[in-house]
Amino acid sequence: MVNEPDANSPNLVEWDERDEKEGRADPNPRPRPFPFQVPPFWVSAGSGTAPDDAPPAAGLTVAVVNRVLPDEAVPACRISVGAVSATTAANGVAVLDLAALGEGRHAITVTAPDVFAGPVGPGFPVDPSKERVWRPFSGTVQVAGGRLAAAEPADCITILDKGLRVRLGPVWLRAPLVSARPGPPDMIVIHHTAGRLDGDLRTFLYSGQVSIHYLVAPDGEVYKLAAEGSKAAHAGTSAWQGAENLNGASIGIEMTHRTGVEYPVVQVDAVVDLVRRIKAAYPRIPPGRVVAHSDIGLCDPGSRNPCQPAAPKRLGRKSTDPGSAFPWERIEALGLGFQFADGVVRPDIYGGFFQRFPRETLRDGDGDAERRYGGVVRPDVSGAVRGLQGDLKALGYFCPPDGEYGTVTAMAVRMFQQRVFSGTRRIGRPDGFNSGDGRFDLSTAHYLKRAHGETRRVFGEADAPSRQGGPPRARTGRRGTRKASASIMLLGFGALMLGCALILAGGRRERQHPE
């Protein structure tokens, strides 16, 4: 989504992800103002322990702020400490007199107007017109010597010299940049932000150019910004399986993450679980329509924000989003995304190019018309480029089958490689965070054929994939399963016939040689 080193401003958006028609109607949207701003003092960090000049318990000032957007106040919160309670004003501040409670430790609860304690996912919130929904909060404060001496948990409640600050965790932050869908969603797009959590949220909430359904933080916390029934501006200029401008068809999941850094396991776990629950809520989403933003991000010379260079129309607008560090095998284990058939791939794929030249690659400048493959004219090979183009297009990639291996094909290959050589499968690739180089090698060819289920089961090693690039075997695909079942049935039938023949022969011997 945001390809900036520090996305702490709502204006730092590299790409406007609205649909083309919407973007042309309002080319320079005004950023939305921040709501409910808290007085600047309460934004400053605190130690979480009482300073030397700890605030007095009598007339204690308490400020409730957004945990991830600390300059955003939380109004209308009910704060209760023992029998003492108060409600925050529009600036998130309330005053409580704790002197009557006496010395010792006391429970504190903070209850916002809208609270939710369950898992964030489809069907939540019941009322998407709400501006915010919050996690419930409870903790303790300690009064000693007439002053506030301690407060817990320290990561959410902090004693400052002017009072107490409570950071409340949001789970729903309504994104204003949404609109009605043309129909139910049938696609999931996974992104990463290349930013920081607070900057990411400000961009999605206030920029007027981009929005998202879900944002997953590095600690696994899930924030929801748009209901699945609404169209969010996250896919932008895009193409998959012949359709373009995919905002109206898709649910977007962003991860706060920077290229060049491994994904935390807890963050990946949260994304996988979220995808699983979205699929359960929308069972008509096909496996092949759970994709990366890099799979679909299109450079279109006719768009209002063309890539540089503008031509030709091609993939690559969102390269490394979410990048090769994301373990796609976790999504595949759900039965979603690419499903790689077990078995082996025929050796004569792509015009027999790899059968004759297993260490070579198809590359920029190759073409079927001249029979140039691997940078050399090879008369005994034919149709290799159009074959791989057709296979990429059939999966969904923008890759017109013209028989010429140019920028368009190279970018489609690169995006496929970023997706396939990800997670544990990127071992051995030169760049573990961008595993696509745009050259079509034997390993890439095997994965592409296996994604189409074009494998066969064999007995013995004669037809096994080459060790010079053949990928490891994965789950059995439907074609491989049918062929394996047929082989087993033939063997079983042969064994049955052999057994019958032996029984008949034994009977004849008994009649000829009775004891």
Side-chain angles (χ1 to χ4, degrees):
M1 182 275 302
V2 183
N3 291 338
E4 293 285 347
D6 189 357
N8 286 322
S9 164
N11 298 317
L12 293 181
V13 182
E14 182 181 3
W15 292 104
D16 186 340
E17 299 294 353
R18 294 174 295 167
D19 288 340
E20 191 69 21
K21 182 178 179 181
E22 295 169 349
R24 291 190 184 279
D26 185 13
N28 297 299
R30 296 183 61 185
R32 183 177 179 231
F34 296 168
F36 310 126
Q37 284 195 291
V38 73
F41 166 78
W42 297 103
V43 180
S44 62
S47 65
T49 59
D52 294 336
D53 52 349
L60 178 69
T61 302
V62 181
V64 183
V65 302
N66 188 324
R67 182 173 182 176
V68 290
L69 298 174
D71 56 350
E72 182 181 296
V74 185
C77 274
R78 188 70 173 172
I79 306 171
S80 298
V81 183
V84 179
S85 63
T87 301
T88 58
N91 64 356
V93 175
V95 178
L96 291 87
D97 189 352
L98 304 186
L101 295 177
E103 304 284 299
R105 191 177 298 272
H106 306 278
I108 177 173
T109 61
V110 179
T111 306
D114 297 287
V115 176
F116 182 73
V120 177
F124 165 79
V126 175
D127 181 3
S129 68
K130 298 286 187 181
E131 195 72 23
R132 298 284 187 271
V133 177
W134 307 89
R135 290 293 191 199
F137 172 82
S138 61
T140 61
V141 295
Q142 184 174 354
V143 177
R147 293 184 175 274
L148 201 60
E152 294 179 341
D155 61 334
C156 296
I157 187 167
T158 308
I159 297 175
L160 303 173
D161 58 359
K162 292 187 181 297
L164 188 69
R165 183 186 64 196
V166 178
R167 300 194 302 160
L168 210 58
V171 287
W172 165 261
L173 306 96
R174 187 181 68 84
L177 186 60
V178 297
S179 57
R181 284 193 188 276
D186 66 354
M187 189 174 192
I188 299 172
V189 182
I190 297 177
H191 315 244
H192 85 151
T193 64
R196 295 195 180 106
L197 182 59
D198 59 342
D200 295 341
L201 282 171
R202 293 181 201 281
T203 298
F204 292 128
L205 292 171
Y206 306 123
S207 70
Q209 295 179 309
V210 62
S211 56
I212 196 68
H213 295 90
Y214 294 95
L215 175 63
V216 182
D219 64 359
E221 192 70 42
V222 179
Y223 303 97
K224 191 168 184 179
L225 289 82
E228 287 83 1
S230 297
K231 180 178 74 171
H234 66 99
T237 306
S238 51
W240 188 253
Q241 295 178 343
E244 297 190 12
N245 293 314
L246 300 169
N247 282 332
S250 58
I251 296 170
I253 301 173
E254 287 273 8
M255 296 175 285
T256 291
H257 170 263
R258 292 175 177 239
T259 301
V261 178
E262 297 294 335
Y263 283 93
V265 173
V266 66
Q267 185 179 37
V268 173
D269 289 345
V271 171
V272 172
D273 181 65
L274 182 57
V275 170
R276 178 188 60 79
R277 289 186 288 125
I278 292 173
K279 170 63 176 177
Y282 296 90
R284 295 182 63 183
I285 296 177
R289 290 179 68 80
V290 180
V291 300
H293 202 184
S294 54
D295 292 325
I296 65 173
L298 194 65
C299 291
D300 188 345
S303 71
R304 64 192 184 282
N305 288 319
C307 302
Q308 296 300 324
K313 187 176 182 178
R314 64 197 184 277
L315 293 173
R317 185 175 71 85
K318 301 306 299 182
S319 180
T320 68
D321 183 5
S324 303
F326 183 75
W328 277 96
E329 61 262 46
R330 295 284 307 277
I331 301 297
E332 294 156 13
L334 299 176
L336 302 173
F338 298 148
Q339 299 294 293
F340 299 107
D342 199 4
V344 298
V345 177
R346 294 176 58 90
D348 59 350
I349 57 174
Y350 302 116
F353 173 73
F354 294 109
Q355 188 175 27
R356 294 172 175 83
F357 312 102
R359 296 181 180 275
E360 290 292 336
T361 63
L362 296 174
R363 64 193 72 172
D364 193 12
D366 288 351
D368 292 336
E370 298 180 356
R371 297 198 174 188
R372 181 179 297 276
Y373 304 109
V376 177
V377 175
R378 306 182 193 273
D380 53 346
V381 178
S382 65
V385 174
R386 191 176 293 272
L388 78 90
Q389 290 172 332
D391 283 346
L392 286 169
K393 181 180 179 182
L395 280 185
Y397 288 95
F398 179 82
C399 190
D402 59 5
E404 296 296 321
Y405 201 119
T407 301
V408 177
T409 300
M411 292 309 297
V413 169
R414 185 186 295 262
M415 299 306 105
F416 177 71
Q417 290 172 326
Q418 288 181 10
R419 171 82 174 269
V420 169
F421 300 114
S422 60
T424 60
R425 293 193 298 248
R426 57 195 163 131
I427 296 173
R429 305 296 291 188
D431 186 342
F433 298 99
N434 179 5
S435 59
D437 61 10
R439 293 190 171 205
F440 194 70
D441 59 7
L442 178 60
S443 186
T444 305
H446 278 180
Y447 269 114
L448 184 54
K449 286 299 185 184
R450 288 173 60 203
H452 283 288
E454 297 185 23
T455 61
R456 54 181 175 151
R457 300 286 269 174
V458 296
F459 297 90
E461 297 297 327
D463 293 320
S466 167
R467 294 180 182 271
Q468 298 169 355
R473 296 179 180 181
R475 257 186 325 278
T476 303
R478 286 175 291 182
R479 298 186 188 183
T481 302
R482 288 197 296 266
K483 292 180 180 179
S485 300
S487 299
I488 293 169
M489 289 175 64
L490 287 172
L491 286 174
F493 181 73
L496 177 63
M497 295 300 295
L498 179 60
C500 292
L502 290 173
I503 292 171
L504 290 173
R508 285 196 297 271
R509 284 198 301 272
E510 287 180 1
R511 288 194 295 273
Q512 293 171 2
H513 305 284
E515 294 182 359

